[in-house]
């Protein structure tokens, strides 16, 4: 089982790291573009706060979001808020998430997320860590995929590769960290492995899997052209 205690500590550290960086911004900076098309930095922060609320709902046995439309409208509503309000919201919802996950509970139970997706309760803290770490990068304030903790990068590659595996519409690809002595490999697509192998740093592999950064432009591609993944 996933070590949720370890992951919750990582969520604390990642959130503190992000809030420290955000404190250097001003209101005008929040209205500037993030790395996510169509979203300002304010949109990213609004999403992070509302996602924490949503995960509290998950642990409490409620629907994660009232609806897809409500989720989107809440983000649009909250995106223009000033920096002080945004940071207070992120802090408060982060604290509420930690309080909810700090309660005695069955971490082996299955919980329901968005769109009928289910997972073990013990995996949800890592899902929150993914939100915080990747959206810190998306904020476009100097934190890059290459700055992510190595442990997180490897786990997120594993998580995304698993998400893209067993799906016939996804190109079968083998991924490997270039020069990795332990020979760790990951696979995507409807069958294990394939004619194309992608070699690169952990950050470069993650960029391709997550649709971030240059989308894998710096990867070494063996056996064919660089495949394109569907949107996450």
């Amino acid at each position: 089982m996933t070590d949720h205690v370890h992951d919750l500590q990582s969520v604390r550290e990642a959130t503190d790291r992000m809030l420290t960086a955000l404190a250097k911004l001003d209101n005008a900076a929040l209205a500037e573009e993030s790395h996510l098309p169509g979203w300002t930095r304010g949109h990213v922060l609004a999403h992070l706060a509302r996602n924490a609320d949503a995960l509290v709902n998950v642990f409490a046995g409620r629907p994660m979001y009232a609806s897809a439309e409500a989720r989107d409208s809440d983000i649009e509503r909250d995106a223009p808020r000033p920096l002080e309000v945004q940071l207070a919201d992120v802090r408060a919802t982060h604290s509420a998430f930690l309080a909810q996950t700090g309660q005695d509970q069955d971490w082996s139970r299955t919980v329901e997320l968005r769109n009928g997706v289910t997972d073990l309760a013990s995996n949800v803290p890592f899902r929150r860590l993914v939100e915080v770490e990747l959206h810190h990068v998306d904020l476009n304030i100097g934190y890059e995929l290459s700055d992510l903790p190595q442990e997180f990068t490897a786990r997120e590659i594993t998580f995304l590769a698993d998400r893209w595996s067993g799906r016939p519409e996804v190109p079968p690809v083998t991924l490997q960290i270039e020069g990795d002595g332990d020979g760790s490999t990951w696979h995507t697509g409807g069958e294990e492995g394939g004619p194309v192998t992608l070699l690169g740093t952990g950050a470069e592999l993650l960029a391709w899997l997550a649709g971030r950064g240059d989308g894998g432009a710096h990867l070494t591609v063996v056996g064919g052209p660089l495949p394109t993944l569907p949107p996450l």
Side-chain angles (χ1 to χ4, degrees), residues 33-117:
E33 292 183 357
S34 72
H35 284 313
L36 296 176
W39 271 19
T40 65
R41 294 186 179 111
H43 283 90
V44 176
L45 291 183
H47 165 63
L48 280 168
R50 302 289 68 80
N51 173 262
D53 285 340
L55 292 178
V56 168
N57 288 337
V58 167
F59 277 103
R62 298 186 293 266
M64 188 169 180
Y65 295 100
S67 66
E69 294 76 16
R71 171 187 177 274
D72 294 344
S73 64
D74 285 350
I75 293 172
E76 289 296 331
R77 177 198 67 203
D78 295 341
R81 298 176 302 175
L83 178 65
E84 181 179 354
V85 176
Q86 294 273 26
L87 295 185
D89 194 13
V90 172
R91 290 190 189 98
T93 53
H94 168 63
S95 295
F97 172 74
L98 292 180
Q100 183 71 35
T101 55
Q103 298 179 15
D104 289 338
Q105 57 194 292
D106 178 9
W107 285 97
S108 66
R109 75 188 188 278
T110 298
V111 295
E112 184 171 347
L113 304 167
R114 287 182 68 196
N115 302 321
V117 173

Side-chain angles (χ1 to χ4, degrees), residues 4-208:
H4 63 274
V5 175
H6 171 77
D7 289 343
L8 286 168
Q9 180 58 34
S10 296
V11 169
R12 293 184 185 92
E13 294 169 358
T15 303
D16 288 346
R17 184 162 54 242
M18 181 182 66
L19 288 170
T20 298
L22 285 165
K24 301 173 185 177
L25 303 183
D26 55 24
N27 291 333
L30 288 192
E32 295 174 353
E33 292 183 357
S34 72
H35 284 313
L36 296 176
W39 271 19
T40 65
R41 294 186 179 111
H43 283 90
V44 176
L45 291 183
H47 165 63
L48 280 168
R50 302 289 68 80
N51 173 262
D53 285 340
L55 292 178
V56 168
N57 288 337
V58 167
F59 277 103
R62 298 186 293 266
M64 188 169 180
Y65 295 100
S67 66
E69 294 76 16
R71 171 187 177 274
D72 294 344
S73 64
D74 285 350
I75 293 172
E76 289 296 331
R77 177 198 67 203
D78 295 341
R81 298 176 302 175
L83 178 65
E84 181 179 354
V85 176
Q86 294 273 26
L87 295 185
D89 194 13
V90 172
R91 290 190 189 98
T93 53
H94 168 63
S95 295
F97 172 74
L98 292 180
Q100 183 71 35
T101 55
Q103 298 179 15
D104 289 338
Q105 57 194 292
D106 178 9
W107 285 97
S108 66
R109 75 188 188 278
T110 298
V111 295
E112 184 171 347
L113 304 167
R114 287 182 68 196
N115 302 321
V117 173
T118 60
D119 202 351
L120 295 178
S122 60
N123 290 333
V124 174
F126 182 70
R127 286 178 175 270
R128 177 59 182 176
L129 180 61
V130 171
E131 294 287 332
V132 175
E133 288 285 31
L134 289 188
H135 286 316
H136 189 172
V137 174
D138 294 333
L139 282 165
N140 189 20
I141 56 175
Y143 190 66
E144 306 296 341
L145 290 172
S146 57
D147 296 319
L148 293 168
Q150 186 175 355
E151 177 198 5
F152 170 81
T153 297
R155 286 182 65 190
E156 180 61 356
I157 290 173
T158 299
F159 176 81
L160 289 174
D162 182 66
R163 179 172 178 171
W164 292 126
S165 67
R167 295 173 56 173
E169 78 278 15
V170 174
V173 169
T174 298
L175 303 98
Q176 185 168 2
I177 295 179
E178 201 160 19
D180 184 5
D182 68 8
S184 297
T185 58
W186 299 269
H187 305 283
T188 67
E191 58 187 73
E192 185 169 301
V196 177
T197 298
L198 305 183
L199 302 168
T201 65
E204 290 166 346
L205 294 175
L206 181 55
W208 183 75

